[in-house]
Amino acid sequence: MPNKKKNNDNNGNSFDRFEIRLSGSGGQGLVLGGVMLSEALATVDGKNVVQTQSYGPEARGGASRTDLVVSDGEIFYPKPMALDLLLAMTQESCDLYVGALKEGGLLVYDSHLVTQVPYTNAIGIEFTQLARQEIGIPIMANVISLGAICALTGIVSEKGLREVVKRRAPRGTEEKNMAALEVGLKVGREAKKRIAV
Amino acid sequence: MPNKKKNNDNNGNSFDRFEIRLSGSGGQGLVLGGVMLSEALATVDGKNVVQTQSYGPEARGGASRTDLVVSDGEIFYPKPMALDLLLAMTQESCDLYVGALKEGGLLVYDSHLVTQVPYTNAIGIEFTQLARQEIGIPIMANVISLGAICALTGIVSEKGLREVVKRRAPRGTEEKNMAALEVGLKVGREAKKRIAV
């Protein structure tokens, strides 16, 4: 059986289990985003992570998702049971997975692509629009979302993300990926101020 | 509990469960290789796939692995129990995981990097040397290995791999990735003839 759940404590404090789902459509770079997040958590922040992609009928319909279970201890049960954080980059993925959030879990969504939000603890950011306008490459919405998740939740260190995004970026795209990360950190911090008031 | 296991039947026949581990060191492109293989299996061949990366102390030491469970039916248990196929791209990963093969499972290894092979049902191919000599990019050993796995096991269709490798290749590297896949298919077919005699 899984570890007992505790709340996540931001910025380096210990926690037993934190569950993340990154969801949207194929071509939005969510799997690579999840690999970057997992590697930052594991190789820089010292967490244990199990990342899972399930490919079934939804994948054939174009949907894409990746799940991360993060812990300071051993991870006995690799599937998410109740999400602490859901990233929804399409309306379809939002509708499909919002029910998997635990009570008080956080929904982060692309506010241009997700227009019906059936959940209150939710933060909308125009990830794809920002990627297009600030970076010039829509798919870099994935890295912008990682920066926002970092600023909003503190689950991963900025240092970890910077190291791994640089290392994992396809050759020749390092600078744009790093710029996308900074955009995400900035909009995440701004969004956090809004909800903290 | 998981499905009852049956043997894999090559080339499109039905099977209940087939377990694959791709293992080596970070920077060998194994996770992306696994994503390509999963997508080919799921979106072209119509299989269900669960792909898992576990990041723990080994990841911090530089080791990398990704696991695929493939089935025609529902996958109830997402972790591998006894591998049908192990790809070992380093001696360390070979030593670490060879014991996870089921009886009669197949070990495919990089014959330049893995020199001690403690297992008989094993096929060595110089993936990294081939990538360097034939393609000019050592990391494309990952795609060469996918081609070889296809030719050796028939678990995935050539059509599926061709579609997905092209789609998933980082922009500007499509041609080299497709060439790497063809190298892998060719050496896989040759290796299969050797063991069939």
Side-chain angles (χ1 to χ4, degrees), chain B residues 157-176:
Chain B
S157 70
E158 292 189 16
K159 176 175 179 286
L161 277 184
R162 287 206 179 93
E163 277 188 38
V164 171
V165 168
K166 194 170 186 178
R167 188 165 76 214
R168 274 276 172 190
R171 206 172 301 175
T173 69
E174 292 88 347
E175 274 186 33
K176 287 196 182 261

Side-chain angles (χ1 to χ4, degrees), chain B residues 22-100:
Chain B
L22 311 180
S23 68
S25 66
Q28 286 184 315
L30 295 165
V31 175
L32 178 58
V35 168
M36 289 172 168
L37 184 52
S38 295
E39 287 192 0
L41 284 160
T43 65
V44 185
D45 295 350
K47 307 294 184 192
N48 295 321
V49 185
V50 179
Q51 183 188 0
T52 309
Q53 296 90 243
S54 293
Y55 301 83
E58 310 83 24
R60 291 186 277 282
S64 177
R65 78 164 205 251
T66 187
D67 293 334
L68 278 67
V69 177
V70 188
S71 179
D72 281 302
E74 203 177 335
I75 296 166
F76 295 99
Y77 188 71
K79 286 188 185 181
M81 296 173 291
L83 300 174
D84 295 273
L85 174 66
L86 171 64
L87 174 72
M89 296 293 282
T90 61
Q91 184 69 53
E92 187 192 6
S93 64
C94 184
D95 296 345
L96 203 55
Y97 300 128
V98 73

Side-chain angles (χ1 to χ4, degrees), chain A:
Chain A
M1 281 301 294
N3 286 344
K4 189 163 65 75
K5 270 197 156 193
K6 281 195 263 181
N7 286 331
N8 169 45
D9 296 322
N10 283 355
N11 297 316
N13 295 319
S14 178
F15 56 89
D16 278 348
R17 191 175 172 100
F18 192 88
E19 301 184 352
I20 303 170
R21 176 167 294 167
L22 311 180
S23 67
S25 65
Q28 288 185 314
L30 294 165
V31 176
L32 179 57
V35 168
M36 288 172 169
L37 184 53
S38 294
E39 287 193 1
L41 283 160
T43 64
V44 185
D45 296 351
K47 308 294 184 193
N48 295 321
V49 186
V50 179
Q51 182 188 358
T52 309
Q53 295 91 243
S54 294
Y55 302 82
E58 310 83 25
R60 292 186 276 282
S64 177
R65 78 165 205 251
T66 187
D67 294 334
L68 280 66
V69 177
V70 187
S71 178
D72 280 304
E74 204 177 331
I75 296 165
F76 294 99
Y77 188 72
K79 286 188 185 180
M81 296 174 291
L83 300 173
D84 295 274
L85 173 67
L86 171 64
L87 175 72
M89 297 293 281
T90 61
Q91 184 70 53
E92 187 192 6
S93 64
C94 183
D95 296 345
L96 203 55
Y97 300 127
V98 73
L101 277 161
K102 75 171 187 188
E103 208 183 314
L106 179 65
L107 169 65
V108 178
Y109 62 97
D110 187 304
S111 56
H112 191 72
L113 300 176
V114 181
T115 52
Q116 307 287 325
V117 183
Y119 189 77
T120 51
N121 192 22
I123 292 172
I125 296 175
E126 292 200 323
F127 294 115
T128 309
Q129 293 288 79
L130 282 166
R132 192 175 284 120
Q133 289 160 8
E134 304 283 321
I135 312 297
I137 304 174
I139 199 185
M140 289 203 187
N142 67 345
V143 173
I144 297 180
S145 75
L146 295 186
I149 287 169
C150 172
L152 286 165
T153 68
I155 180 74
V156 63
S157 69
E158 292 188 16
K159 178 175 179 285
L161 277 184
R162 288 206 178 91
E163 277 188 40
V164 171
V165 168
K166 194 171 185 177
R167 187 165 75 214
R168 274 278 173 187
R171 207 173 300 176
T173 68
E174 293 89 346
E175 275 186 32
K176 289 199 181 261
N177 271 283
M178 295 305 288
L181 180 57
E182 296 305 322
V183 169
L185 288 165
K186 183 162 168 277
V187 295
R189 282 186 213 111
E190 287 163 6
K192 190 165 186 179
K193 273 186 223 159
R194 288 202 305 271
I195 53 169
V197 171

